[in-house]
Amino acid sequence: MPKILVAEDDRFLMKIYSDTLGREGYEIILATNGEEAISRAKETLPDLILLDLVMPIKDGFEALEAIKKDTKTKNIPVIILTNLGQESDIARGKTLGAVDYLVKSNLAIKDIIAKVNGYLKK
């Protein structure tokens, strides 16, 4: 069963992602801030990370940078899932190593599931 780390500080969205992806057959690991995302990624070595950018303690950019610098976690694909849609944020996310950048407000949950399935069920 593929594992997905969902790093999201909004409890409502976290529950939606967790429930929906769980029904798709994925094991879900949760993190509510960037620091927790880094440590959970190292502990569990998920197959994919869904990463919000606006989070407490460490933001998603800091978490992404740490994940990509660590030899244990650097090859885990990271999809940024955020409400920050500015070109500069998108460029920064891709430069730091995200495989995709999704703006929450532009997508339905089914679109997110389709993206995840595309990366994990090839």
Side-chain angles (χ1 to χ4, degrees), residues 22-63:
R23 282 194 301 273
E24 287 287 314
Y26 297 111
E27 179 184 334
I28 307 303
I29 302 138
L30 301 174
T32 57
N33 64 62
E35 201 166 87
E36 204 175 9
I38 296 163
S39 64
R40 293 263 159 84
K42 288 179 190 177
E43 289 164 17
T44 64
L45 299 175
D47 298 289
L48 180 75
I49 299 171
L50 289 178
L51 182 66
D52 186 19
L53 291 179
V54 182
M55 291 188 294
I57 305 176
K58 284 189 191 289
D59 68 25
F61 288 124
E62 293 170 302

Side-chain angles (χ1 to χ4, degrees), residues 8-27:
E8 170 63 66
D9 65 325
D10 181 309
R11 299 273 178 198
F12 176 74
L13 288 175
M14 183 186 276
K15 177 147 181 50
I16 290 172
Y17 299 152
S18 179
D19 291 352
T20 309
L21 290 165
R23 282 194 301 273
E24 287 287 314
Y26 297 111
E27 179 184 334

